Amino acid sequence: MNLKNNQLYQFGPYILDPGKRLLKRLGELVPLTPKSFDMLLVLVENSGNVVEKDALMNRLWPDTFVEESNLAFQVSKLRKALGERPKDHRYIVTIPGRGYRFSGQVTQIQSEGDPQEADSPFRSPKEHEGAASGPFNGFAGAADQRHSLDKLEEPGDSIAPVSCNQGELDADGSGVKLILSGGTSAMRPASGVYSSSSQIRSRLRVEYYALAALILVTVGHFLLNSMATAFPRVLNYTQITHDGLQKAGFVTDGSRLYISELAYGKSTLVQVSVAGGDTVPLAVPFANPGLDDISPNGSELIVANNDAPYPFPYWIVPMPGGSPRRLGEIRAHDVHPSPGGQQIAYFVNSNLYLAQADGTNPRKLLTVPGKSPGCASWAPDGSKLRFDMDDDPITGGHSIWEVKTDGGNLHSLLPGWRNPANECCGHWAPNGKYYVFQSTHNSVTHLWAIQEKGSLLGKARYTPVQLTSGPTPYSMPVPSKDGRRIFAIGGQVRGEVMRYVKQAKEWVPYHSEKSMVDLNFSRDGAWVTHVAYPESTLWCSKTDFSESQQLTFPPMAVTGPRWSPDGKQIAFQGRMPGKPWKVYTISSSGGNPQQLIPGDRGEAWPDWSADGSRLAFGGWPFSDPENKWVTAIHLLDLRTNQVLVLPGSEGLFGPRWSAGGRYLLAHRFDTQLMLFDFATSKWQELAKGDCRFGNWSRDGQYVYFERWEKGDIYAVRIRISDRKQERIGSLKPLRLTIGHVRCWSGLAPDDSLLALRDVGSQEIYALDWEAP
């Protein structure tokens, strides 16, 4: 990878400048020897890939034969410079028998200015001449010598320490000769000629005291600087829960964790000791509780009744036992008590309110039109709130905002830090010194921390510091009551496609080796396209999953692929980071995806007409209802590139064309399935209620869909000719996945029902951390 002169590498709190050969941590210079810098640059340039030992040896010592132990020695020095402890290799990972891999998340950034040359640890000896001044400038050479010792890089090289108890006057009386270990000597100029041995001893004593003072000052300065530039880091991970169930959120009272877990589309509440163990169910007066927060004294949970119409009514649930009670007349989403317990903050649609602890005397703090704020966190002193904001429901970005409790100084917490922004779910440490949050970048979520308060020895640094890295994503951080740990959700996301055997009335695995979703089969039934889950990349293969080929690559995310009638192309909706979903096509044999419609208006769920000359598509059902472009069904003529709105389709999405081309099926979110008849140019209702994932049978005689009703999820097919409905089977035995692919279902070439079930795991972990 070749960078322009003004481009740098950033990872965690570090910035690496290849042009100036500098490494900085939170603005402070990190001294590195030339060999260490070369090794770090090679590893960072190949971030995520294994760099073989031979390649490293050739790069660092191109014309010299050295032992392999020198490589290990350099790695050890580099890890120490990056603040890694033994067995805590957050950046440099050893691949046994092969080499090393840089595992930190690396971003290329533009330089805002050239670093000062005086800051460089690689200045030439001439640049150091005359640098020292003051009463101890005679010893400045010791400091300068430090920079000229970079050549002492190999194991066994050392510098003999000064032996300060050996000193004598030079023969001509012009200076004091200090005897160094190993028999070498150095001259210290004398200020005059001594007339007696006592004067000599007195003079030497002064010199030695001065040297000791200089050493103490230097060591003190080093310690102060080290403590001032220290940054937080995770030291150890401990798994707390062991049930593998999806976690929607949790709170702690100091000794226990109270957790909202998901199963079959509903949430339940459980508790577990902070030391770990089995989870124990909690009783609440309704079936689908939403856990929002806990009172400051840890005695009461704040819980929403998610089965009630929105805005939700809220309840106070005493812990460890007691009778639940309503939280006044509050109907909202996301209710959070102040640190002292006298107030609550809560959200209703686009509004943030403050009220008394019992829900009385509400007052509107702010309104953010067109947004959906939530997940508030109070500062420990109660002076301000931070909350999440959906920056754009089409692009899916989130950011963290801050406002004072008097409604003033509303602003984004990290403007311009990530583009696009995707941060949320933050909490302050109890002492207010750090604020921890999650950030998602390139589809991977990790935890970060911001230092809010400085220590006695240094100022606060508001630049985020990455706490977690590696393949396991961590989310929803909650600091412990004593501030020594961070609890977070971690786990692996994986789905398994299941097929319903109607005769046996049971679900069986369709293909257990692949975690995938959105299966769609070519018209001849010989090929299948699917989306890898959770990577969101598009693949194509034969129906036995042989001859598999990856068609799209990160950072593009893909969903909803559909085969063209001739089997030569695949249409899908794709999205680049920070951009809306757009309709693309790609050759089934591979190539570059082609965006069909320019602009930034969102498009989703494309499908082909029977003759392949047109594409129907809609928009996201959660977008602005006044924007007809993203909420109506559109028809794109591939011959003329003209786009027409299908009359009467406002508010509909997810179009699906029948095999013969006469009908077009569309969804109205959670309320209806609608059918457009091209022969009559009219819409008619096909099914009513919570209907999802409508798909046509191969012969076009039936529409299959999911119906969510009274706590059950089951598959239905409806015959077009007479509208007769037939229940196929229940999806409730399947543990549903989370996210935008939740409970996906489709059809195999023989019209048997396919559905995605969750086979991943989510657990809560305790992260011991160092928070200087």
Side-chain angles (χ1 to χ4, degrees), residues 425-603:
C425 314
H427 286 89
W428 267 280
N431 61 7
K433 188 173 182 179
Y434 285 93
Y435 178 82
V436 294
F437 63 97
Q438 73 179 57
S439 177
T440 302
H441 188 63
N442 291 334
S443 301
V444 180
T445 301
H446 289 303
L447 304 186
W448 294 71
I450 299 174
Q451 187 181 19
E452 298 283 335
K453 294 181 180 179
S455 66
L456 180 64
L457 302 175
K459 297 181 179 180
R461 288 183 171 87
Y462 295 97
T463 302
V465 176
Q466 187 170 346
L467 298 178
T468 62
S469 60
T472 300
Y474 290 92
S475 61
M476 298 187 179
V478 176
S480 63
K481 292 298 184 180
D482 60 12
R484 297 178 180 177
R485 312 168 94 187
I486 299 173
F487 298 105
I489 298 174
Q492 294 183 341
V493 178
R494 182 175 175 82
E496 181 181 39
V497 175
M498 304 292 288
R499 183 172 68 90
Y500 187 72
V501 181
K502 189 175 180 180
Q503 296 78 7
K505 297 183 179 181
E506 65 177 1
W507 292 92
V508 298
Y510 183 72
H511 190 78
S512 298
E513 296 180 5
K514 289 182 176 292
S515 179
M516 55 185 175
V517 70
D518 285 342
L519 278 69
N520 184 250
F521 297 85
S522 60
R523 180 166 291 186
D524 59 10
W527 294 84
V528 61
T529 182
H530 70 269
V531 176
Y533 175 71
E535 294 85 357
S536 295
T537 52
L538 182 64
W539 293 73
C540 175
S541 68
K542 287 193 172 181
T543 51
D544 61 358
F545 296 97
S546 63
E547 300 184 26
S548 184
Q549 180 183 6
Q550 184 174 349
L551 299 180
T552 66
F553 300 85
M556 172 179 276
V558 171
T559 189
R562 308 293 289 186
W563 284 92
S564 64
D566 60 8
K568 294 181 179 180
Q569 295 187 84
I570 299 169
F572 63 91
Q573 65 183 64
R575 180 171 70 181
M576 299 299 289
K579 300 294 183 180
W581 290 103
K582 302 291 289 184
V583 173
Y584 291 82
T585 58
I586 192 171
S587 170
S588 58
S589 59
N592 293 322
Q594 302 297 315
Q595 181 178 321
L596 298 184
I597 303 173
D600 291 330
R601 289 179 173 177
E603 306 139 11

Side-chain angles (χ1 to χ4, degrees), residues 180-195:
L180 308 181
S181 298
T184 60
S185 63
M187 294 302 302
R188 169 66 171 97
S191 60
V193 179
Y194 306 126
S195 59

Side-chain angles (χ1 to χ4, degrees), residues 170-205:
D170 190 41
D172 61 3
S174 62
V176 176
K177 180 165 62 178
L178 299 179
I179 308 301
L180 308 181
S181 298
T184 60
S185 63
M187 294 302 302
R188 169 66 171 97
S191 60
V193 179
Y194 306 126
S195 59
S196 66
S197 60
S198 62
Q199 288 178 321
I200 295 174
R201 286 193 298 270
S202 177
R203 180 64 180 183
L204 285 174
R205 188 179 299 113

Side-chain angles (χ1 to χ4, degrees), residues 348-402:
V348 182
N349 298 318
S350 297
N351 306 303
L352 170 59
Y353 291 86
L354 294 184
Q356 298 299 312
D358 59 1
T360 60
N361 299 325
R363 65 181 177 91
K364 185 187 296 186
L365 192 65
L366 59 87
T367 298
V368 282
K371 306 289 186 181
S372 180
C375 194
S377 177
W378 290 78
D381 62 3
S383 64
K384 54 190 174 184
L385 287 158
R386 287 180 181 165
F387 58 93
D388 300 344
M389 188 94 78
D390 57 337
D391 295 327
D392 191 330
I394 297 177
T395 63
H398 287 81
S399 60
I400 301 172
W401 286 68
E402 180 179 288

